[in-house]
């Protein structure tokens, strides 16, 4: 760790930290590490093909920076803005959220029905949560789903499947993920996030190349002097642009669990669940720990979601003590989930409950109006399994869409906790 001017009230921040930097002059301020200048250079390079993939909360959060009512859903203008910046393709990370649900739900059923791995299964979509376990509780790593996060799946799928279908040399692709999450800047350079490089035998290629937060994108757009209001709505590019409502509600706490439950039901029974199964009201809301019980093909499955690290500790202690009664637990390190992500626009500091609620409402309102409710009905998801992955948990899916974890307990030096 580097030494800082002010050490009495700070956690040291390494100068090489991939996600945040310390502003020494402002004493206690940290800021996310910006990468958009690198993306601008890639856009100007005629040999590069720049592909943006956007997370759901960007669409619900970007508008207010430009004076729209908080929670305005500005998907069309956001896509148009990225094309104006010079994107070659704009894809929806919700497509990969659907892919994550397919893999994660299949993994859950495999654990329950075939008793293949430790129970309960924790989600793996939040890099801050995964690093917390790797550092402080490596003994429970087998409980974390091997299914990568949506951004983790989007990268290798673009560089293998999308590149092949579009006739693009994958080495030319510069993958840029847009997200409200600063911790994703730490996730994507991870050692194991080069599955496409191994698959295609292209040394040094990364699955995802850059992460830009909502706040960073807003700064870039303002610097370019874009008139966001006057932009004409644009659609995502096809092939990896369609997404179900299930992928959309990923952005809220409980969204992953709800979406995975819908798809697990279909995989196990061959039928879609009844309408009231979809509105898992007990898992919506604001409480730090929420739970619900569902029944799939005669098997009761106990679901829980937890957000905010203090609440997470409670569940982790239960798992360590062997007293946890849940089967599937969604974990989000930020209070309120990604809605409270470090890269959300700071039109209000701290973000008020009203703004948070407007973002959540925007996602669920859009989900309710979407013709596609289920990832397994998404034509782009059917296409990627037919043409590329064959089926969830296939050998290729395991190579590109699943990951492993590191024991980082030694990072604590003498203060090790196991
Ligand atoms: Fe990132 Fe926070 Fe969402 Fe975790 S909960 S993925 S740290 S924004």
């Amino acid at each position: 760790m580097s030494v800082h001017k002010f050490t009495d009230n700070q956690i040291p921040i390494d100068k090489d930290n991939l996600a945040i930097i310390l502003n020494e002059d402002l004493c206690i301020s940290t800021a996310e590490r910006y990468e958009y200048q690198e993306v601008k250079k890639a856009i100007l390079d005629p040999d590069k093909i720049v592909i943006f993939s956007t997370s759901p909360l960007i669409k619900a959060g970007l508008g207010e920076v430009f004076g729209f009512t908080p929670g305005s859903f500005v998907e069309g203008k956001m896509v148009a803005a990225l094309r104006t910046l010079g994107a070659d393709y704009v894809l929806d990370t919700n497509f990969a959220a659907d892919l994550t649900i397919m893999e994660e739900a299949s993994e859950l059923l495999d654990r329950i029905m075939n008793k293949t791995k430790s129970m309960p299964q924790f989600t793996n979509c939040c890099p801050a949560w995964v690093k917390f376990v790797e550092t402080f509780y490596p003994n429970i790593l087998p409980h974390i789903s091997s299914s990568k996060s949506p951004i983790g799946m989007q990268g290798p799928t673009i560089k293998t499947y999308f590149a092949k279908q579009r006739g693009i040399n994958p080495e030319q692709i510069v993958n840029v993920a847009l997200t409200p999450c600063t911790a994703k800047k730490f996730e994507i350079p991870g050692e194991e996030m080069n599955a496409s490089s191994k698959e295609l035998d292209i040394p040094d290629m990364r699955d995802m190349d850059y992460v830009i937060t909502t706040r960073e994108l807003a700064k870039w757009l303002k610097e370019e002097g874009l008139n966001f209001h006057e932009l004409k709505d644009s659609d995502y590019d096809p092939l990896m642009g369609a997404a179900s409502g299930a992928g959309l509600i990923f952005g809220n706490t409980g969204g992953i669990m709800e979406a995975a439950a819908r798809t697990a039901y279909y995989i196990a029974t061959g039928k879609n669940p009844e309408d009231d199964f979809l509105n898992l009201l007990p898992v919506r809301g604001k409480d730090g720990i929420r739970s619900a019980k569902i029944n799939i093909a005669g098997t009761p499955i106990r679901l829980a979601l937890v957000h905010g690290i203090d609440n997470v500790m409670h569940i982790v202690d239960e798992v360590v003590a062997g007293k946890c009664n849940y089967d599937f637990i969604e974990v989000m390190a930020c209070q309120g989930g990604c809605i409270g992500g470090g890269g959300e626009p700071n039109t209000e500091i701290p973000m008020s409950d009203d703004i948070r609620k407007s973002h959540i409402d925007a996602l669920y309102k859009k989900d309710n109006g979407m013709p596609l409710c289920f990832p397994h009905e998404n034509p782009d998801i059917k296409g990627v399994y037919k043409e590329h992955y064959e089926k969830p948990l296939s050998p290729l899916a395991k190579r590109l869409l699943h990951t492993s974890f590191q024991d980082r307990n030694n990072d604590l030096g003498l203060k090790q906790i196991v």
Side-chain angles (χ1 to χ4, degrees):
M1 293 286 169
S2 54
V3 177
H4 298 294
K5 281 185 192 171
F6 307 94
T7 52
D8 52 341
N9 60 351
Q10 293 171 357
I11 295 169
I13 296 170
D14 196 287
K15 292 234 181 317
D16 296 330
N17 190 300
L18 298 164
I20 53 172
I21 52 173
L22 178 72
N23 185 331
E24 297 278 3
D25 294 328
L26 295 178
C27 176
I28 56 168
S29 296
T30 52
E32 71 260 36
R33 189 176 284 283
Y34 285 152
E35 298 175 74
Y36 72 95
Q37 297 293 356
E38 300 305 314
V39 179
K40 278 172 83 169
K41 281 184 208 152
I43 286 172
L44 292 172
D45 185 338
D47 288 336
K48 302 288 183 204
I49 294 169
V50 178
I51 302 181
F52 285 91
S53 296
T54 72
S55 297
L57 276 165
I58 303 265
K59 311 166 195 183
L62 187 63
E64 67 207 51
V65 182
F66 295 96
F68 284 77
T69 312
S72 298
F73 202 77
V74 294
E75 177 179 295
K77 287 192 187 303
M78 174 201 65
V79 174
L82 294 170
R83 294 197 193 287
T84 309
L85 288 177
D88 291 290
Y89 296 94
V90 185
L91 304 176
D92 194 349
T93 308
N94 284 0
F95 159 87
D98 279 352
L99 205 49
T100 295
I101 293 160
M102 294 295 290
E103 295 293 325
E104 197 160 41
S106 303
E107 185 186 344
L108 176 65
L109 288 174
D110 193 43
R111 283 188 196 229
I112 292 174
M113 308 297 180
N114 303 324
K115 308 206 181 323
T116 46
K117 292 187 202 163
S118 312
M119 293 294 287
Q121 175 175 310
F122 284 109
T123 53
N124 162 20
C125 293
C126 171
W129 151 245
V130 172
K131 183 152 187 260
F132 172 80
V133 176
E134 288 180 328
T135 307
F136 295 103
Y137 294 94
N139 282 4
I140 67 165
L141 284 171
H143 291 272
I144 298 192
S145 168
S146 62
S147 308
K148 288 179 182 169
S149 68
I151 286 175
M153 291 195 180
Q154 184 87 344
T157 305
I158 289 174
K159 292 206 176 171
T160 56
Y161 168 69
F162 188 82
K164 189 170 172 202
Q165 296 287 326
R166 287 277 173 269
I168 302 170
N169 176 356
E171 288 179 88
Q172 289 182 282
I173 294 176
V174 176
N175 263 336
V176 185
L178 297 176
T179 168
C181 177
T182 324
K184 293 281 172 194
K185 288 179 185 272
F186 166 81
E187 178 187 349
I188 62 145
E191 231 174 79
E192 67 290 358
M193 294 300 183
N194 64 347
S196 54
S197 159
K198 288 187 197 144
E199 192 64 27
L200 301 172
D201 198 16
I202 301 174
D204 301 328
M205 187 168 74
R206 304 297 307 167
D207 292 336
M208 191 58 77
D209 298 284
Y210 297 103
V211 163
I212 288 185
T213 63
T214 316
R215 193 162 53 231
E216 197 174 344
L217 175 63
K219 178 174 162 49
W220 183 5
L221 292 175
K222 285 189 168 179
E223 279 177 12
E224 298 292 330
L226 236 78
N227 189 331
F228 196 76
H229 283 262
E230 285 187 1
L231 290 168
K232 286 210 169 62
D233 285 1
S234 178
D235 289 330
Y236 285 108
D237 288 292
L239 207 60
M240 290 174 64
S244 73
L248 186 74
I249 60 173
F250 232 83
N252 186 33
T253 52
I256 302 172
M257 188 176 75
E258 190 169 336
R262 295 172 178 185
T263 290
Y265 187 98
Y266 175 82
I267 293 170
T269 66
K271 291 184 298 193
N272 287 333
E274 299 293 327
D275 282 354
D276 58 354
F277 185 93
L278 294 183
N279 287 309
L280 286 166
L281 291 178
V283 298
R284 295 184 182 180
K286 290 197 303 184
D287 292 347
I289 301 177
R290 309 196 289 276
S291 62
K293 197 166 162 184
I294 56 169
N295 195 303
I296 296 182
T299 302
I301 298 181
R302 292 147 304 179
L303 312 169
L305 75 91
V306 52
H307 62 99
I309 281 293
D310 46 345
N311 296 315
V312 169
M313 288 296 296
H314 182 74
I315 296 273
V316 166
D317 287 343
E318 283 188 357
V319 172
V320 170
K323 290 182 181 163
C324 180
N325 290 322
Y326 300 119
D327 298 299
F328 183 51
I329 305 170
E330 174 191 323
V331 185
M332 293 291 190
C334 295
Q335 205 74 39
C338 300
I339 246 97
E344 279 275 81
N346 46 9
T347 44
E348 276 188 358
I349 303 175
M351 187 187 279
S352 69
D353 280 352
D354 283 349
I355 298 255
R356 279 182 217 272
K357 186 172 179 310
S358 70
H359 291 181
I360 295 168
D361 288 349
L363 298 186
Y364 279 107
K365 196 168 147 207
K366 186 75 181 168
D367 170 38
N368 282 335
M370 283 178 79
L372 269 177
C373 289
F374 305 103
H376 52 268
E377 289 180 350
N378 177 347
D380 284 356
I381 290 293
K382 286 183 184 174
V384 78
Y385 278 113
K386 182 164 177 275
E387 303 292 334
H388 197 55
Y389 289 123
E390 188 193 344
K391 61 181 183 183
L393 307 182
S394 71
L396 181 62
K398 283 192 172 165
R399 290 200 297 279
L400 294 185
L401 306 179
H402 290 254
T403 191
S404 55
F405 306 101
Q406 283 181 45
D407 179 340
R408 299 178 193 268
N409 196 231
N410 279 339
D411 290 356
L412 294 174
L414 295 175
K415 295 183 195 161
Q416 290 184 11
I417 303 173
V418 178

